[in-house]
Amino acid sequence: MTATADAGVIGMAVMGRNLAKNIESRGNTVALYNRTWAVTEEVMKWEHAQGARFVPCKELKDFVAAIKRPRRIIIMVQAGKGTDAVIEQVAPLLEQGDILVDGGNAHWADTDRRGAAAKGKQYFFVGMGVSGGEEGARLGPSIMPGGDRDAVDKLMPILKQIAAKVGARKDEACVTWCGEGSGGHFVKMVHNGIEYADMQMIAECYDLMNRGLQMDHAACAATFREWNKGELASFLIELTGKIADRKDGDEKTLAKNPDAFLLDAIRDAAGQKGTGKWTTVAALEAGVAIPSITAAVDARLLSSIKPEREEAFKAFKKLIKRKKRVKLSTDELAQALYAAKIAAYTQGMKLLSAASEQRGYKTDLGSIPAIWRGGCIIRAVFLDRITTAFQKQPNLPSLLVADEFQQDIARTLPALRKVVATAALAGFPVPALAASLSYIESYTT
């Protein structure tokens, strides 16, 4: 087979096919492989594959042969044993200078193990975090590669093409070398940990609005849309504003109740893929306190035992008194959420700093929030200020003491104190907000 492809993607599930399309859309020819040929055939019938410069390959050896040397191959399969199986099969087919990239949500220890196994072999191994979901993969994700610096430099032309773009002229690619070894996947793990905390704190504020202030979903949605115009502006705030007042899409439900909302049909039992737990464990091993992230992980674990919670509710319904309303304003909730978000991002950056030193990643901390400004789930306007803070002070011990955030904490801390105290007295659980408050108070005492 003649080598015509500029890159190759292994794994044609949602993320793999969309990343392949992103690479192809920048003028590249992309070889495709999936262990089940029927899946590759399905991709070739996909609307985004029509007329695309794809080279579908049924056999792995043909896939490798179809890619120009030095080959750039990105693995997008389920993390764990699936990734190991692919590496075991493709590694013997690689030649001098080829680059094998794991773009899945791998645990950093697995990435270190795979990197060590590649030492002395003909190919380079790169662990790369990709954030942004299906849409981000196709249109522009935040990309976090780590490992051999020279290998990552060789990948950069394509990675910069496909990454999300930010900045006044939309010319700043959301990709950077995140460190030696497993640095890329460690950064992605911490990103996900921050995401856990962010989503949990938003949920707690929403609960206080909806149940505590007795605001209906439409009013909550309007409030979040307003918040997205100010300092809280972010993808998750924007998404909440879009979802909160969406009607239930089930025809039978709507026939019975035309005013039924989607949120009321969602069971309050969250699952998790493990990256939040990994972050908490890594923080304990590194000796870094990340209480907001840990509280978010714990909240998911508690939510998942819904039958037990329902029985506990029945048992304590008459024994524990809870208020049905709270006296708070949406402005106080907004300020509390902002202070808590600063605390959560502070914890994440502290963990990255400690890991870089302890594991020898050599991560440039100032470059990390810069690539989270676009494409990824935690993108937010205040990441510009976090980037500036670390660029001004590369050895900044904590965002809380950065010039950019001291006044913000002083301004919003009273609201966070009031919200947590009011929620506690009324019987509303706010574990992540409370953990953020405790973190700020403890750090500044």
Side-chain angles (χ1 to χ4, degrees):
M1 177 175 286
T2 303
T4 59
D6 302 292
V9 177
I10 297 176
M12 289 293 106
V14 172
M15 288 296 286
R17 68 181 64 182
N18 278 284
L19 195 69
K21 178 58 185 179
N22 188 347
I23 297 170
E24 187 274 341
S25 70
R26 315 298 171 170
N28 300 295
T29 298
V30 185
L32 310 179
Y33 176 78
N34 195 83
R35 67 173 181 172
T36 304
W37 173 242
V39 175
T40 307
E41 289 183 309
E42 176 192 320
V43 170
M44 294 308 295
K45 297 175 184 177
W46 183 35
E47 60 176 324
H48 299 298
Q50 304 311 302
R53 292 173 293 272
F54 284 154
V55 182
C57 301
K58 190 172 185 178
E59 301 296 334
L60 190 57
K61 61 180 177 57
D62 293 333
F63 166 80
V64 173
I67 306 168
K68 300 173 189 175
R69 296 182 58 191
R71 299 179 180 92
R72 293 170 289 190
I73 298 174
I74 302 175
I75 302 171
M76 298 296 292
V77 301
Q78 188 172 11
K81 293 181 180 179
T83 303
D84 285 329
V86 169
I87 294 174
E88 184 178 340
Q89 292 164 8
V90 75
L93 303 174
L94 301 180
E95 298 178 88
Q96 191 66 41
D98 289 348
I99 304 170
L100 192 59
V101 182
D102 175 14
N105 258 340
H107 189 281
W108 58 267
D110 286 338
T111 301
D112 277 337
R113 171 175 56 80
R114 292 165 186 149
K119 294 290 186 184
K121 301 288 180 63
Q122 297 189 88
Y123 68 93
F124 295 102
F125 180 78
V126 170
M128 183 176 80
V130 179
S131 177
E134 175 183 348
E135 184 175 300
R138 185 164 62 85
L139 302 178
S142 174
I143 306 176
M144 294 153 264
D148 186 274
R149 187 67 181 265
D150 290 338
V152 172
D153 285 344
K154 290 182 175 70
L155 289 169
M156 274 299 176
I158 280 184
L159 297 185
K160 286 183 177 180
Q161 284 180 337
I162 68 174
K165 306 299 188 298
V166 295
R169 294 178 293 181
K170 299 294 181 184
D171 59 353
E172 298 173 36
C174 291
V175 57
T176 191
W177 177 73
C178 293
E180 301 283 356
S182 57
H185 276 136
F186 198 95
V187 168
K188 176 59 165 59
M189 176 193 73
V190 173
H191 162 284
N192 285 20
I194 294 171
E195 179 186 329
Y196 270 51
D198 209 343
M199 289 192 291
Q200 177 63 29
M201 295 186 297
I202 288 172
E204 290 169 15
C205 286
Y206 196 97
D207 186 42
L208 287 171
M209 276 188 208
N210 186 228
R211 291 197 303 129
L213 299 180
Q214 297 187 0
M215 295 168 59
D216 62 22
H217 292 308
C220 291
T223 300
F224 273 87
R225 286 194 285 267
E226 192 62 31
W227 285 2
N228 200 46
K229 298 175 183 177
E231 63 187 6
L232 283 171
S234 65
F235 172 71
L236 289 172
I237 294 292
E238 176 188 358
L239 194 62
T240 307
K242 289 180 178 179
I243 293 295
D245 59 355
R246 182 171 293 184
K247 294 295 182 67
D248 192 316
D250 184 71
E251 293 182 2
K252 292 182 180 179
T253 301
L254 288 175
K256 295 179 181 178
N257 180 11
D259 294 323
F261 288 94
L262 176 62
L263 285 185
D264 293 326
I266 297 175
R267 193 166 182 264
D268 62 327
Q272 54 182 312
K273 294 182 178 179
T275 47
K277 180 183 72 174
W278 296 348
T279 309
T280 293
V281 172
L284 288 171
E285 292 175 343
V288 176
I290 56 166
S292 304
I293 296 171
T294 300
V297 175
D298 288 343
R300 290 198 184 202
L301 294 172
L302 278 168
S303 79
S304 69
I305 54 172
K306 186 171 175 62
E308 287 184 44
R309 290 191 292 111
E310 289 174 334
E311 291 302 314
F313 172 76
K314 293 175 185 177
F316 285 94
K317 189 174 183 180
K318 295 181 179 180
L319 299 176
I320 296 178
K321 293 183 179 180
R322 291 188 172 93
K323 296 180 181 179
K324 293 184 178 180
R325 294 186 69 106
V326 296
K327 292 183 179 180
L328 293 168
S329 68
T330 56
D331 183 60
E332 287 170 328
L333 286 173
Q335 290 186 53
L337 180 57
Y338 189 63
K341 281 169 68 78
I342 294 173
Y345 279 76
T346 297
Q347 293 161 35
M349 296 304 294
K350 287 279 285 185
L351 177 55
L352 286 179
S353 177
S356 179
E357 182 177 347
Q358 294 172 15
R359 304 185 191 282
Y361 287 149
K362 303 176 185 176
T363 305
D364 176 7
L365 290 183
S367 70
I368 303 305
I371 65 169
W372 288 344
R373 292 178 298 162
C376 69
I377 306 301
I378 64 171
R379 58 185 184 267
V381 294
F382 86 138
L383 280 163
D384 284 317
R385 298 175 62 211
I386 296 178
T387 301
T388 300
F390 278 100
Q391 288 176 344
K392 285 172 60 177
Q393 293 178 265
N395 297 317
L396 182 68
S398 169
L399 279 175
L400 297 184
V401 297
D403 293 339
E404 284 74 15
F405 291 102
Q406 285 185 31
Q407 292 303 315
D408 283 354
I409 290 295
R411 170 174 59 84
T412 58
L413 183 58
L416 181 57
R417 286 170 172 167
K418 181 178 179 180
V419 167
V420 171
T422 300
L425 290 171
F428 285 78
V430 287
L433 291 175
S436 292
L437 174 62
S438 179
Y439 182 83
I440 295 171
E441 301 286 18
S442 297
Y443 189 84
T444 58
T445 297

